[in-house]
Amino acid sequence: MPRDPFDLSRLQPVLPSPLQPVEDERFDRHGIRLLLKRDDLIHPDLPGNKWRKLAPNLTAAAGRTVLTFGGAYSNHLRATAAAGRLLGFPTVGVVRGDELAGRPLNPSLAQCANDGMRLHFVDRATYRAKTDPAVLEGLLSAYGACSVVPEGGSNALAAQGCTALGRELHGLADVVAVACGTGGTLAGLAAGLAPGQRALGVPVLRGGFLGDAVRELQREAFGGPAGVWSLDERFAFGGYARTTPELHAFADDFEDRHGLPVERLYVAKLLYGLTVLAQEGAFAPGTRLVAMVTGQPWGASDSSR
């Protein structure tokens, strides 16, 4: 009998993910207990929020072709392609940048292709219009009936999937902080937390649009606002997929202190922001502060989106 293509349990995810206490003087001296929620250990090919956001979308797709979107180094594309390989369903990746079509594939896109993903390169103007019905109709006419998953995997199903993250932390945290790209993890995390707990999002993109995105995701997923959450938009370090020598130095130091590989584009920005906030007195003494580790470094040019 053929295997059920959306029986995700056979991938044996590590759930709930481990919660790791960390002794760090930058938090300890303010009476803050820092803990790391190791979602990066959920699954080697679908780590962190990729598992939590993709799982409900893959269940809904029920083995149909999954078509989704991402940049040249997208973790989301790699995770979707890996899921297709592991579970036996077709995948299509719509990649930002038609100039990439005539070049050798970078290691990230090569991995997607090796996992069976069909890559469809589009120019940047078309990519920005990826939710336009005419653009989607053109893609579906090219690839047939597909289950469309948005960039970053963030939609109502993803937000609903991320509520489990909040529930796993009931009674274990006062503040739960997560780096944000498209807002799906924060939307679901906040909804899943218990009364008295709050979520903090650290956007890794500039533009000030993420608050509206999270509110819209919660409206679609839960019918309206859910849970207590806020954003601190000071730690994007120049914007998406950008870093600075200061950020790399901070991440190197954190790795040396705690023996934990630190992904640079999301996790490092989150941890840096939390050390600044702790110094500023943003957390009361006695606060149990959980930082989400949503992924591990991948290659020379990493992206968790």
Side-chain angles (χ1 to χ4, degrees):
M1 179 179 296
R3 287 181 170 179
D4 183 345
F6 51 89
D7 178 12
L8 300 181
S9 64
R10 62 188 174 91
L11 299 184
Q12 299 182 320
V14 177
L15 290 169
S17 59
L19 190 60
Q20 175 183 336
V22 171
E23 293 186 6
D24 191 305
E25 62 183 5
R26 295 167 292 188
F27 297 89
D28 296 343
R29 64 172 171 257
H30 299 291
I32 301 165
R33 187 183 181 203
L34 179 65
L35 305 103
L36 304 179
K37 180 66 166 164
R38 297 294 305 275
D39 262 22
D40 58 311
L41 301 179
I42 289 177
H43 190 276
D45 293 304
L46 286 80
N49 57 357
K50 300 308 160 200
W51 175 276
R52 296 188 188 274
K53 292 197 290 185
L54 273 175
N57 277 288
L58 299 183
T59 298
R64 289 178 295 159
T65 299
V66 171
L67 182 146
T68 193
F69 305 83
Y73 286 94
S74 170
N75 271 356
H76 170 67
L77 288 184
R78 292 199 307 274
T80 303
R85 168 176 55 82
L86 292 167
L87 295 169
F89 62 86
T91 58
V92 176
V94 180
V95 184
R96 179 179 59 242
D98 58 343
E99 72 278 4
L100 301 173
R103 301 177 184 174
L105 296 178
N106 67 38
S108 183
L109 293 177
Q111 181 170 320
C112 291
N114 289 339
D115 281 340
M117 175 174 274
R118 290 176 286 176
L119 300 175
H120 182 96
F121 297 91
V122 298
D123 62 77
R124 293 169 190 274
T126 301
Y127 191 87
R128 285 193 295 271
K130 58 187 171 295
T131 60
D132 185 279
V135 173
L136 289 174
E137 183 180 349
L139 290 169
L140 294 178
S141 67
Y143 293 103
C146 296
S147 181
V148 178
V149 177
E151 181 180 41
S154 287
N155 56 10
L157 286 173
Q160 291 164 2
C162 288
T163 60
L165 171 57
R167 293 193 298 270
E168 288 175 20
L169 292 167
H170 283 192
L172 301 174
D174 301 300
V175 180
V176 185
V178 63
C180 303
T182 49
T185 303
L186 178 63
L189 165 64
L193 291 173
Q197 296 179 304
R198 65 181 176 93
L200 169 64
V202 174
V204 302
L205 298 87
R206 298 181 298 175
F209 62 87
L210 197 63
D212 289 341
V214 173
R215 284 185 282 271
E216 178 61 19
L217 282 166
Q218 290 199 330
R219 185 192 66 77
E220 294 174 357
F222 313 115
V228 178
W229 59 272
S230 61
L231 297 171
D232 194 314
E233 306 202 29
R234 295 179 290 163
F235 307 109
F237 284 87
Y240 181 63
R242 296 184 179 178
T243 59
T244 67
E246 180 185 14
L247 182 67
H248 282 286
F250 169 84
D252 289 342
D253 176 69
F254 198 94
E255 290 176 339
D256 291 341
R257 289 172 184 250
H258 304 298
L260 171 75
V262 176
E263 185 273 325
R264 296 313 201 250
L265 302 188
Y266 284 73
V267 178
K269 294 179 180 183
L270 170 68
L271 294 171
Y272 181 96
L274 294 180
T275 61
V276 172
L277 287 165
Q279 184 176 359
E280 293 175 346
F283 309 112
T287 295
R288 296 168 298 174
L289 174 62
V290 171
M292 293 298 311
V293 181
T294 49
Q296 295 187 358
W298 191 92
S301 300
D302 192 10
S303 169
S304 298
R305 181 123 151 208

